[in-house]
Amino acid sequence: MFGNPSLTTRIAIGKAIGFLIGLAGFVFLPWFMPEAGWLIRWGILLWYTTLGAIIGMFGVFTWHPVLKLPMPWWVRDPFIGAWMNFVLTFFAYDMLKQAMETIFGLDGVLNSPFWFVAEGAVVGLIIGYCATRFGGEGVETAGR
């Protein structure tokens, strides 16, 4: 069940790494933004745990069926992380803008909430590497 290749291993590793990244956000957010409430802190923790599970699950797909192109982990997983954080930015734009302005200032270079898209790509790359390294990828992870 937790061998290599294994979809269960990929999802577990993705969730574990996502949980650690979310836990870092949960713990350090009050240092950067003291007025951050419990809902946003729990949201960050659960968001990155879910992101890790989604990236782990998508390790089965190594071929794009419409474009007829291979999808290696280093393309697929950062794209998924960036896309998920792009969607998050639309739903939580005001809060993310407030957080970025608090952390980097009103005139800061990094005060746009859309920097979370780049951060999602980096997180996706990290989760994807670990999930692929220790859980494998491709249809053989799903079993037969």
Side-chain angles (χ1 to χ4, degrees), residues 87-109:
V87 172
L88 173 68
T89 302
F90 279 114
F91 285 113
Y93 183 84
D94 294 333
M95 193 289 308
L96 293 175
K97 183 159 183 63
Q98 179 187 3
M100 297 300 271
E101 287 176 353
T102 302
I103 295 168
F104 297 109
L106 291 174
D107 297 331
V109 176

Side-chain angles (χ1 to χ4, degrees), residues 51-88:
L51 180 64
I54 291 170
I55 288 173
M57 200 169 36
F58 266 88
V60 173
F61 301 105
T62 57
W63 182 260
H64 196 289
V66 175
L67 299 176
K68 306 288 190 226
L69 293 173
M71 291 189 330
W73 69 269
W74 46 269
V75 171
R76 176 188 64 236
D77 298 335
F79 179 78
I80 293 169
W83 177 256
M84 293 298 291
N85 275 16
F86 183 68
V87 172
L88 173 68

Side-chain angles (χ1 to χ4, degrees), residues 5 9 11 17 21 36 54 61 92 111-112 121 130:
T9 303
I11 294 171
I17 294 171
I21 292 169
I54 291 170
F61 301 105
N111 69 353
S112 172
C130 294

